[in-house]
Amino acid sequence: MPNKKIDHALEDILKCGFRKSALREMILASIASSDRPISAADIIGMLAKKGNACNKTTVYRELETLKKTGKIKEVFLRNDRALYELVGSHHHHIVCISCGDIRHIDVHEPAEWPCAGSIRKQGFKIIDHSLEFFGVCGQCR
Amino acid sequence: MPNKKIDHALEDILKCGFRKSALREMILASIASSDRPISAADIIGMLAKKGNACNKTTVYRELETLKKTGKIKEVFLRNDRALYELVGSHHHHIVCISCGDIRHIDVHEPAEWPCAGSIRKQGFKIIDHSLEFFGVCGQCR
DNA sequence: CATCATAATGCAACTAAGTTGCATCTGTCA
DNA sequence: TGACAGATGCAACTTAGTTGCATTATGATG
């Protein structure tokens, strides 16, 4: 199944001086196919299941490249492992503190947070923000 | 310097079936004395500087106890290490993606987030939330 | 289309955060 | 004050992530 979004991202990566490779495409596709942020271990597992065993070093380095080129972002939802998701529509998450399940949610946010002015006054340049809700999901209650 | 807040927390911990100990008090005091979330390694370093060398296992176990008894909370601001702060006034953070510096900020939030209703409708019980701003601090610009 | 610089990949060894089992010590309470 | 259970330290372990090095493959250029 061809994916325009992924193809476009790969072209863009090419312009940054990186190359196209089957593995790069598969790793990007894994992240794109998931409806929640996934870890390096998740990616290795997904590729292995499709018969594409892949070294963990390669995955970690690839995640670094995709991050540098702005294709994916790292999200901080638990400390034991890094999670990654496609950069795209801005959204937030609900995290179950019991089973660890993570889902996307849409939040109507103010165009400008009330605190943004005072943060800027400290000389801090805001690049991104996160808003996450922690609790117990329906399954775990 | 005696600290009422810490003494009260220790009394409360006692009621939970745990005991008072010099180390427990020092670890709690370390966290309380910092104006930003700190890591297990930070705590070990702070205690060592005061001449109170302490095993890392003890620190990790203590952090677990303090978390269970609701005295501290773990915050998710970077994946490479867990950070802890005192439970108390609800607040948020600004995180410098260049130097890693983390500071508290006060945010005027809505009493109820617009999305809270739809999250609850999914059967998810919200216990806590986080709102963090990532960017570049004045020092790093 | 052949060449070549450089990016991509894998492997093994390593680092560092955090965990576990076990022996010993100590605070609390009857 | 004696005993039980929690607190502590130590060593060994687990696991996410990193690094150095050798090999392979991509794509720009002539």
Side-chain angles (χ1 to χ4, degrees):
Chain A
M1 55 195 106
N3 186 320
K4 274 213 164 177
K5 208 169 172 182
I6 289 174
D7 288 343
H8 185 271
L10 287 171
E11 289 305 327
D12 205 57
I13 285 168
L14 198 58
K15 276 179 218 152
C16 295
F18 298 100
R19 295 172 186 172
K20 285 190 203 178
S21 83
L23 214 37
R24 171 158 294 157
E25 184 173 347
M26 285 190 288
I27 290 172
L28 196 50
S30 301
I31 299 169
S33 73
S34 174
D35 61 348
R36 60 204 68 188
I38 60 177
S39 68
D42 291 333
I43 293 169
I44 292 168
M46 288 163 87
L47 295 195
K49 207 183 273 182
K50 290 185 196 163
N52 297 299
C54 163
N55 193 277
K56 67 173 177 171
T57 307
T58 307
V59 173
Y60 282 113
R61 277 197 282 235
E62 189 52 40
L63 288 169
E64 207 49 45
T65 302
L66 293 173
K67 218 167 40 165
K68 268 194 291 189
T69 53
K71 299 308 161 199
I72 62 170
K73 68 180 282 194
E74 196 176 6
V75 295
F76 304 98
L77 297 175
R78 39 194 311 169
N79 295 313
D80 61 344
R81 64 185 60 186
L83 299 175
Y84 301 89
E85 64 183 16
L86 229 52
V87 165
S89 68
H90 180 66
H91 60 255
H92 302 282
H93 308 90
I94 51 179
V95 182
C96 177
I97 57 176
S98 170
C99 66
D101 186 44
I102 296 162
R103 288 164 191 268
H104 287 178
I105 49 161
D106 291 317
V107 180
H108 256 280
E109 304 176 73
E112 162 102 349
W113 288 89
C115 55
S118 94
I119 292 175
R120 273 196 295 269
K121 246 177 244 162
Q122 296 177 40
F124 189 94
K125 181 188 162 74
I126 299 172
I127 292 173
D128 192 18
H129 70 269
S130 73
L131 172 61
E132 327 291 355
F133 293 86
F134 299 91
V136 187
C137 73
Q139 297 289 319
C140 289
R141 288 176 81 174
Chain B
M1 52 191 111
N3 185 319
K4 273 213 166 179
K5 209 169 172 181
I6 290 174
D7 289 345
H8 185 269
L10 288 171
E11 290 302 328
D12 205 57
I13 285 169
L14 199 57
K15 277 179 218 154
C16 295
F18 297 100
R19 295 175 184 166
K20 285 191 202 178
S21 83
L23 216 35
R24 171 157 293 158
E25 183 171 350
M26 284 191 285
I27 290 173
L28 195 52
S30 301
I31 300 170
S33 73
S34 174
D35 60 348
R36 59 204 68 189
I38 60 175
S39 68
D42 290 333
I43 293 167
I44 293 168
M46 288 163 86
L47 295 195
K49 206 182 274 182
K50 289 185 197 162
N52 297 300
C54 163
N55 193 276
K56 66 174 177 171
T57 306
T58 306
V59 173
Y60 283 113
R61 279 198 280 237
E62 190 50 41
L63 288 168
E64 207 49 44
T65 301
L66 294 173
K67 217 166 41 163
K68 269 193 290 189
T69 52
K71 299 308 162 201
I72 62 171
K73 68 179 280 193
E74 196 175 4
V75 294
F76 304 98
L77 297 174
R78 41 193 313 171
N79 295 314
D80 61 343
R81 64 185 62 185
L83 300 175
Y84 301 88
E85 64 184 15
L86 229 53
V87 165
S89 66
H90 181 65
H91 61 254
H92 301 282
H93 308 91
I94 52 180
V95 182
C96 177
I97 58 176
S98 170
C99 66
D101 186 43
I102 296 162
R103 287 164 193 269
H104 287 177
I105 49 160
D106 291 317
V107 180
H108 256 278
E109 301 177 75
E112 161 102 347
W113 287 88
C115 56
S118 93
I119 292 174
R120 274 195 296 268
K121 248 177 240 161
Q122 296 176 40
F124 188 95
K125 183 189 162 76
I126 299 172
I127 293 173
D128 193 18
H129 70 269
S130 73
L131 172 61
E132 327 291 355
F133 293 87
F134 299 91
V136 187
C137 73
Q139 298 288 319
C140 289
R141 290 177 78 175

